[in-house]
Amino acid sequence: MASETPENTGSLADRITNPDAQTAATGTDDGAGTALHGSELNEPDYSVEVKLSDLQADPNNPLFSVKSFEQLGLDERILKGLSKMGFRKPSKVQERALPLLMANPAQNLVGQSQSGTGKTAAFVLNVLSRLDLSPEMQIKPQALILAPTRELARQIVGVIQVMGQFLEGLIIGTAVPADSTTRPAKMACSVVVGTPGTVMDMMKRRILAPNDIRVLVLDEADNMLDLQGMGDQCIRVKAALRPTAQIVLFSATFPEHVSEYSKKFAKDPNEIRLQHEELTVEGIKQLYLDCSSEEEKYNNLVQLYGLLTVGSSIIFVKTRAAAAEIEKRMVAEGHTIASLTGGIEGSQRDAVIDAFRSGEAKVLITTNVLARGIDVSTVSLVINYDIPEHFEQRGRGSREPDYQTYLHRIGRTGRFGRIGVAISFVSNREEWDMLRKIQQHFGCQIDRVDTGDWDEVEEVIKKTIKNSRAQANFKNEQ
C-alpha cells in the first residue's frame, strides 16, 4: 500500500475541509461468507446506540428498526441472494442500520461495529438497492466501495457476487493495484470496489468516471482517514463525486480524533455505535511468551509449529524483511509456511490468500496488511511475533503500542463467537511495557505461558482451542 501513498501535508481536519488546497494525489455471515471460507454470523448479545442527525426522525416509526428484510421492501432478487448467504433475519446492527442507510432521500451514516455484526452485508445491501441496472446504466459506475487493502476489497467483491447473483445486469469492477505488466481498461460496471490510491489514479486517467456515483462506502474507514496519504486519496475521491452522493463510513474502531474528522467527511451523518472492544478481546484467550532474545522468539515459533497447523494460524510481524527472513528459515527447516506482505505483486498476493482460505496453506506470516477485515473461519490462533506499535513514536522516548491494530490483529481469530487464541511474543522490557499498556487499555487478562515445559504449553493452547467459547467471558454472561 505504500506505493499508493502521496506525500501530502497538513492536518486531517484541514485536508477534509479544504481538499483542493493540497497537491493532487498520485497514482451468514459478514466478511467473506462460506463460499470464500468465511465465518458464520454468530453474534454475542450487545446493545446498539443510534444517534440521528435529523432530530425529527421518529423512533416510533416502524422502519426505525426492522425485524425482517422484507420490511425494507427489497427487490425479490436481493432477498433471494440474502437467503443464499444464510441470512434469515437482520443482525442487531442491521436492524438499526438498514432503515437509516436505505431511507430516501439518502442520508450519510457513520457506523462503528465489530467484525461479525453484519456491517459488510448492510452496506452491500444498501448499494445493490440503489443501482439502476438498465442496459444504459449498468455499465456506468453508480457505487464505489473503498477498502485499505486488495485482500479486503476482493473479499467485499465476493459478498456482492453472492448477494447480487440474481440481479440481471449487475457488473462488478475491481480497482486494486495491478501487476506491473497489466494495463487497466475502462471501468464499465455498476459497482466498483477498490483501494483509494488505485481509484484516484483511475479517475485521473479517466478510466473510472465518477459522474454517476451515488454511494461512496469506506470500509475500515478509521484506518484510511487516519493514514495521511490514504486519507488524502479518500478526500479527493469524495471531492470528485456529486455533492448529493451518500457517504457511508464503517469500521470496527473509531479513535476519538478520527471520529470527529469522519463527521466532516460525511456531513450531518446518522451514527451507530457498539460497545465492541470489550466483547472482541474478551472472546479470545490471550497469552504471552517471555523470550530472552529475538533468536529465542524464532525458536519458540518453531516449537509452536505443530499447534499452528491444528487449524489455520496467522503470524504478524513488524516488517516485510522480518516476514521474508522467517519464511526463508522455516521453509529451509522443512516447515510449510506462506507469506503475504505489501511488497508482493497483486496476482501472487491473490494466490497466497486464496490458498490460505482453502486450507492449502495452514500458516500465514504477514504484516499489518492483513490485520483488518479479513475473515477466514478456520483461523484459531494468532501470533503477535512483534507487538504492534506506533512507528512515529520510535526514537521519541518510550515505544507506544498501537491498541487499534492489536485489537484488529487478534480479531482475525475467534470470529463471530467461535474459538480463538492470541499469543504475543515479548523479548525485552520495552515490549513488556507495551503489552502491559495493552492489557490496561482493554482491561483484559493476558496470561504468561511457561516455555520451560512445552508439553504444558501445548496442553494449555490445545485445551483453549477445543473450548467452544474460548473461555470467553462476554458481557451478557456477567
Side-chain angles (χ1 to χ4, degrees), residues 303 307 450-462:
Q303 286 277 6
L307 293 172
D450 184 4
T451 55
D453 186 345
W454 279 101
D455 289 337
E456 183 180 340
V457 172
E458 185 170 330
E459 183 180 348
V460 168
I461 295 172
K462 278 188 173 179

Side-chain angles (χ1 to χ4, degrees), residues 209-227:
N211 316 55
D212 296 292
I213 293 175
R214 58 188 72 170
V215 184
L216 171 65
V217 178
L218 269 62
D219 195 13
E220 303 296 344
D222 70 316
N223 181 236
M224 290 194 285
L225 291 178
D226 201 23
L227 290 175

Side-chain angles (χ1 to χ4, degrees), residues 90-142:
S91 69
K92 294 177 179 66
V93 168
Q94 290 166 352
E95 284 181 8
R96 292 300 185 91
L98 287 171
L100 302 177
L101 274 172
M102 300 178 65
N104 286 308
Q107 293 178 284
N108 297 336
L109 179 77
V110 175
Q112 177 187 28
S113 64
Q114 70 186 90
S115 298
T117 54
K119 65 182 177 65
T120 305
F123 66 67
V124 168
L125 186 58
N126 175 59
V127 162
L128 293 180
S129 299
R130 295 190 182 280
L131 297 178
D132 177 352
L133 297 180
S134 63
E136 178 188 356
M137 291 299 295
Q138 65 187 224
I139 58 172
K140 295 183 179 181
Q142 300 166 55

Side-chain angles (χ1 to χ4, degrees), residues 222-244:
D222 70 316
N223 181 236
M224 290 194 285
L225 291 178
D226 201 23
L227 290 175
Q228 183 167 299
M230 205 181 294
D232 293 332
Q233 291 159 346
C234 292
I235 292 161
R236 294 207 158 274
V237 167
K238 175 180 175 264
L241 309 185
R242 56 171 75 172
T244 55

Side-chain angles (χ1 to χ4, degrees), residues 57-99:
D58 180 9
N60 297 314
N61 185 302
L63 287 186
F64 180 74
S65 177
V66 293
K67 297 299 182 184
S68 73
F69 292 111
E70 287 76 12
Q71 281 181 269
L72 295 165
L74 293 171
D75 187 306
E76 288 293 330
R77 297 168 297 175
I78 296 177
L79 287 171
K80 195 174 177 183
L82 281 167
S83 179
K84 279 284 185 181
M85 294 181 74
F87 279 111
R88 298 295 176 261
K89 63 177 184 176
S91 69
K92 294 177 179 66
V93 168
Q94 290 166 352
E95 284 181 8
R96 292 300 185 91
L98 287 171

